């Protein structure tokens, strides 16, 4: 399933299909790390079942635009009535530094578990800025889950070093990035391939 999106000859339809499958698996796995409490329910047969339920806190999804937005559909498919926020961070080509251009977060996000989504993370600069924005809005560091389909080792180390209590969940980690900060072997420009703008 990882080979098809990485293949440069994969059609756009197949790229979207297999990327969505990976996103769904990634989000389902991430949800398993949320705190659960024991619950007893009565079955239609008049017996009881001992199960688990997510504790009452809310979950909010926040996508790092534009490629992180592709993960929203998978998130809303498995989390009913989830609130969504968006962050646009772009790299300044003169300085090489990330810059915040747009921010829309739901009200009272400070008590939520936040699923921060970006399809790929190379250096980790945009992800770290997004985490800082969430922390500035009083979200607790250990309630932030960074989800990405593909990360470079450098990005994983950068985020983990800066924010050790943020949970990082990905489907793959590639060893290096090139001079243009593209992940190698990578997946190409995810947003361009997904939206057909390459």
């Amino acid at each position: 399933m990882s080979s098809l999106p990485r293949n440069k000859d994969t059609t756009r339809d197949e790229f979207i299909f297999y990327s969505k499958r990976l996103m769904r698996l990634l989000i389902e796995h991430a949800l398993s790390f949320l705190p659960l409490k024991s619950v007893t329910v009565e079955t239609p047969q008049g017996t009881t079942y001992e199960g688990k339920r997510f504790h009452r806190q809310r979950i909010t999804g926040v996508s790092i635009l534009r490629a992180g937005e592709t993960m929203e559909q998978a998130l809303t498919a498995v989390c009913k009535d989830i609130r969504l926020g968006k962050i646009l961070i772009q790299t300044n080509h003169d300085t090489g530094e990330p810059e915040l251009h747009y921010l829309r977060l739901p009200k009272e996000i400070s008590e939520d578990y936040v699923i921060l989504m970006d399809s790929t993370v190379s250096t980790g600069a945009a992800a770290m800025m997004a985490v800082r924005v969430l922390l500035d809005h009083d979200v607790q560091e250990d309630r932030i889950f960074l989800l990405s389909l593909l990360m470079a080792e450098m990005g994983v180390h950068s985020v983990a070093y800066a924010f050790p209590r943020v949970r990082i969940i990905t489907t793959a980690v590639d060893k290096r990035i090139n001079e243009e900060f593209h992940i190698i072997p990578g997946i190409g420009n995810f947003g361009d391939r997904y939206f057909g703008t390459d």
Side-chain angles (χ1 to χ4, degrees):
M1 216 177 348
S2 293
S3 301
L4 283 159
R6 287 178 183 261
N7 187 340
K8 68 179 180 65
D9 296 323
T10 297
T11 65
R12 182 169 168 252
D13 284 346
E14 283 189 319
F15 180 83
I16 291 170
F17 178 81
Y18 287 104
S19 295
K20 282 183 175 181
R21 279 190 66 192
L22 283 170
M23 289 171 194
R24 181 82 176 250
L25 290 170
L26 181 68
I27 288 166
E28 293 280 9
H29 185 66
L31 294 176
S32 71
F33 292 104
L34 291 169
L36 302 173
K37 67 173 184 175
S38 296
V39 64
T40 303
V41 297
E42 188 174 340
T43 71
Q45 285 75 24
T47 60
T48 58
Y49 173 79
E50 302 294 326
K52 300 284 184 185
R53 180 178 290 162
F54 175 60
H55 207 58
R56 291 193 176 138
Q57 294 94 340
R58 284 184 308 221
I59 306 170
T60 294
V62 175
S63 53
I64 301 174
L65 300 175
R66 110 183 135 144
E69 201 170 27
T70 61
M71 299 173 76
E72 289 179 2
Q73 185 180 9
L75 182 61
T76 57
V78 296
C79 294
K80 191 173 183 278
D81 302 325
I82 193 164
R83 302 180 329 149
L84 295 174
K86 297 179 188 300
I87 299 176
L88 175 60
I89 296 169
Q90 292 183 321
T91 302
N92 182 312
H93 294 293
D94 296 328
T95 66
E97 294 296 314
E99 295 177 347
L100 178 64
H101 287 275
Y102 176 77
L103 174 65
R104 190 188 83 218
L105 297 176
K107 292 179 181 177
E108 300 170 358
I109 194 174
S110 62
E111 295 301 313
D112 296 5
Y113 282 85
V114 176
I115 296 179
L116 181 62
M117 301 171 287
D118 199 357
S119 57
T120 59
V121 173
S122 58
T123 65
M128 287 191 297
M129 178 174 265
V131 170
R132 282 190 199 99
V133 168
L134 293 173
L135 295 175
D136 288 345
H137 284 80
D138 298 322
V139 176
Q140 296 171 46
E141 186 176 323
D142 61 352
R143 290 188 176 203
I144 300 171
F145 293 61
L146 173 61
L147 272 61
S148 182
L149 288 180
L150 174 63
M151 297 183 78
E153 204 170 79
M154 176 185 182
V156 173
H157 291 302
S158 297
V159 175
Y161 180 78
F163 306 107
R165 292 189 315 223
V166 168
R167 196 173 299 259
I168 300 169
I169 304 168
T170 184
T171 64
V173 177
D174 284 359
K175 289 284 183 193
R176 61 188 188 91
I177 58 175
N178 65 13
E179 303 77 33
E180 289 86 36
F181 304 111
H182 297 145
I183 301 171
I184 303 299
I187 199 167
N189 185 311
F190 189 91
D192 283 347
R193 294 186 73 193
Y194 192 96
F195 293 113
T197 53
D198 52 345

